Amino acid sequence: MELTVVIPSYNTEDTLGATLDALAVQVGCGEFEVVVVDCSDDDRVERLAAGRSRVRVLRRRKRFNPGEGRNIGAAAAQGKLLVFVDADVTLRADALSAAMAYHQLGHRVFGGALELNEARANIASFLEHYFFNHESQIGRPPCLRSNLSSALMVVERVLFVTEGGFRDIPRMQDTEFSERLARNGITLTFTPTVVGFQIQDAPIPKVLRKVYISGRNTYSIRYGRASSLQRAAFCVLLPLISAAKTIRIIGRHLRYQDFRRRLITLAISPHLAVAGACWMLGFYGALIFKSGISRER
């Protein structure tokens, strides 16, 4: 079997059905399987997936972090290529065939274009999507990447196992994993041919909390062993770093989105600036108090 799609699940019954429906109509990709690793509070996800062809559900009673769910799915996978997809992402009908074709060109680890599912989007949806997915627009050409999102990530199973899989942390396990691969000499790339659409429905306070945690975890994952001199430099330079990050996010959307979404980018730019400040505060918190990786999911 060539492909295994791995989906971690916790109380995802509101979105998982559409995700599985999109997988059921994939074209041109041959044999593949779908492994849903579920730790929900009840059996609704299990019942939702029951009877669907190609779909297996691995049920766990104890709640796990998403990375651990992906590790469980990868361990049970039969496919040579692992396609990690979140339960709120629907793949375009040619996504799996495009993943196979791109892999056959020699790419072992790569991400795809992750666009916002606008069916029930609002300002908070665009804010969350634009802040966290500013490197994965469908209009962006293929390129090298320094890290990847596990909401839509493709990895050779042998490589995944060899490199030890995802670290068991609540958030940013994809950043830690993909940057670890890069440090080990593995090339990460992006292709706009593998396309998914993600639902974002968190309210603005929750989005900003996620951004704050992202800043905290960014410091802890990348710079947790920084010297006193490096920490002092961060204290001074972090406002400039945060401003540059926000400008880069806005710039990428203005460059790679279509005209309508460019207008949306300009409209929510003040919100993105606030998010950038929240990211900076999270970074400062980890820098000053050495609080480590957040345990919040």
Side-chain angles (χ1 to χ4, degrees):
M1 186 175 295
E2 292 298 320
L3 291 168
T4 297
V5 180
V6 178
I7 306 173
S9 166
Y10 173 70
N11 294 347
T12 61
E13 59 275 359
D14 290 341
T15 60
L16 181 63
T19 300
L20 296 178
D21 288 344
L23 290 168
V25 296
Q26 292 293 304
V27 297
C29 56
E31 282 298 312
F32 69 93
E33 63 174 350
V34 180
V35 178
V36 178
V37 189
D38 182 58
C39 63
S40 297
D41 296 329
D42 52 45
D43 65 349
R44 281 182 290 179
V45 165
E46 199 167 8
R47 288 189 280 110
L48 176 67
R52 292 177 182 260
S53 62
R54 300 192 178 100
V55 179
R56 286 189 285 150
V57 178
L58 305 180
R59 185 88 163 91
R60 297 293 185 270
R61 299 298 176 184
K62 183 179 179 181
R63 187 178 178 184
F64 48 65
N65 291 318
E68 181 60 22
R70 296 183 183 100
N71 290 343
I72 294 169
Q78 299 176 19
K80 299 175 184 177
L81 200 61
L82 302 174
V83 182
F84 294 109
V85 176
D86 278 358
D88 57 3
V89 173
T90 56
L91 294 182
R92 199 168 69 180
D94 63 346
L96 295 186
S97 61
M100 288 182 60
Y102 192 68
H103 174 250
Q104 289 167 359
L105 295 176
H107 302 284
R108 305 181 69 192
V109 187
F110 54 92
L114 192 60
E115 292 288 354
L116 178 65
N117 186 331
E118 296 187 25
R120 53 192 193 195
N122 53 31
I123 291 177
S125 306
F126 279 99
L127 174 61
E128 181 172 5
H129 181 77
Y130 275 35
F131 189 89
F132 288 110
N133 295 307
H134 57 276
E135 295 184 288
S136 58
Q137 302 91 342
I138 196 171
R140 188 177 190 179
C143 60
L144 297 175
R145 289 286 305 274
S146 58
N147 56 60
L148 298 170
S149 168
S150 56
L152 179 52
M153 179 192 294
V154 185
V155 189
E156 280 185 358
R157 180 163 58 89
V158 171
L159 177 62
F160 183 83
V161 172
T162 301
E163 296 294 333
F166 291 102
R167 184 176 169 188
D168 190 18
I169 55 178
R171 288 189 182 277
M172 292 181 67
Q173 68 285 147
D174 45 7
T175 297
E176 191 281 331
F177 171 67
S178 56
E179 292 185 355
R180 179 172 11 116
L181 292 185
R183 288 195 302 271
N184 291 340
I186 307 300
T187 301
L188 314 178
T189 60
F190 163 81
T191 174
T193 60
V194 180
V195 182
F197 299 90
Q198 187 171 35
I199 294 172
Q200 305 280 16
D201 56 5
I204 285 182
K206 188 172 182 179
V207 173
L208 295 179
R209 182 63 184 173
K210 288 181 180 180
V211 173
Y212 174 89
I213 292 171
S214 174
R216 172 177 166 177
N217 287 1
T218 296
Y219 174 80
S220 300
I221 290 171
R222 293 179 181 168
Y223 311 110
R225 297 182 179 180
S227 67
S228 297
L229 182 60
Q230 288 172 320
R231 293 201 302 272
F234 274 128
C235 282
V236 173
L237 297 175
L238 191 54
L240 293 177
I241 295 171
S242 176
K245 178 180 177 66
T246 302
I247 292 170
R248 185 172 69 246
I249 289 171
I250 294 170
R252 282 174 175 160
H253 287 295
L254 289 176
R255 182 176 181 182
Y256 297 123
Q257 295 284 14
D258 60 26
F259 179 74
R260 182 180 66 85
R261 289 195 173 184
R262 287 173 182 167
L263 294 179
I264 293 172
T265 302
L266 294 174
I268 69 166
S269 290
H271 298 81
L272 289 169
V274 172
C278 289
W279 181 89
M280 180 181 67
L281 291 175
F283 197 106
Y284 264 132
L287 172 65
I288 295 170
F289 299 107
K290 300 181 181 179
S291 47
I293 295 172
S294 172
R295 303 310 298 175
E296 290 187 46
R297 292 182 172 90

